[in-house]
Amino acid sequence: MDTRLDQIAHATRNLPQRTRLAELEQRAAALDSELVRARTALGDIEREVSKAESDVQLVRERAARNRSRLDAGTGSAKDLQALQHELDSLGRRQAELEDVEIEIMERAEAAGAEVARLEAEHATLATDLEAARVAQDDALREYEAEAAKVAAPRADTVAGVGDDLVALYEKIRTQAGGLGAAALRQRRCGGCQLELNNVEMNRIKAAAEDEVLRCEECRRILVRTAESGL
Ligand SMILES: [Zn+2]
């Protein structure tokens, strides 16, 4: 019972589902920072887009004003010539700014796609995380149920063994790393696996049925069985 309970405790501490969940949580934390970075980058580029749009708009408005003054034909020939000249350079300026605007909009599109990609990954990860939590809880519940089942008859067994022997058993169990008593099988101690010599075997043969026997090597309590080789 105690060996199985120890195994269950060990398995509970080393659940593969727990490892999987920890990995996913780590990925989720990294993804959250990536998303913050990507959204910030997108926000910055969107501000650049607005700025570029208003730059282009200013040049357009200026050109429109010049054009209407030219169309009105008021002012000297020199003034009109200067207006025409400015209109030409505004046209060139507008083309340059529009190129800049297109370049920024392409970057905004790429940044938007990156945010969308990360958001999709985030959604998938959230589903995986939920599944991993459920899997971990299920595994824990199964082990808990098994432990309860294994431990249920322990109190009765302990009562039947008697306090002194139980105290000795618990002491050895602590010292020997979990296993306090072992069966003697084919002349071998089930704790340390060493074979008992003839002297020890003869001593055990001669021992009273209720004498508590110990392995000379590992000091565990030796339990005689039908297969002990006595
Ligand atoms: Zn032993």
Side-chain angles (χ1 to χ4, degrees), residues 65-134:
R65 276 200 305 277
N66 283 10
R67 211 171 288 114
S68 55
R69 280 165 67 192
L70 261 181
D71 290 349
T74 48
S76 67
K78 203 181 162 193
D79 287 345
L80 294 175
Q81 199 179 6
L83 272 176
Q84 181 59 56
H85 185 74
E86 196 188 322
L87 202 54
D88 291 345
S89 72
L90 282 172
R92 281 191 301 275
R93 180 74 186 131
Q94 185 178 334
E96 280 166 17
L97 287 173
E98 279 167 351
D99 285 348
V100 169
E101 189 185 358
I102 287 166
E103 182 267 327
I104 297 169
M105 283 169 90
E106 280 168 358
R107 278 197 287 128
E109 203 176 316
E114 176 66 0
V115 168
R117 185 186 71 76
L118 290 171
E119 279 171 347
E121 194 182 334
H122 195 268
T124 307
L125 196 58
T127 311
D128 291 351
L129 265 172
E130 181 53 27
R133 282 197 191 99
V134 170

Side-chain angles (χ1 to χ4, degrees), residues 129-157:
L129 265 172
E130 181 53 27
R133 282 197 191 99
V134 170
Q136 181 192 260
D137 292 350
D138 285 352
L140 281 176
R141 246 196 315 277
E142 261 177 52
Y143 278 127
E144 267 170 34
E146 194 193 342
K149 206 172 138 194
V150 172
R154 194 182 186 279
D156 280 349
T157 306

Side-chain angles (χ1 to χ4, degrees), residues 189-194 196 215-220 222:
C189 163
C192 63
Q193 305 302 331
L194 287 177
L196 275 65
C215 170
E216 293 293 327
E217 288 298 329
C218 69
R219 304 304 296 150
R220 290 188 176 93
L222 270 182

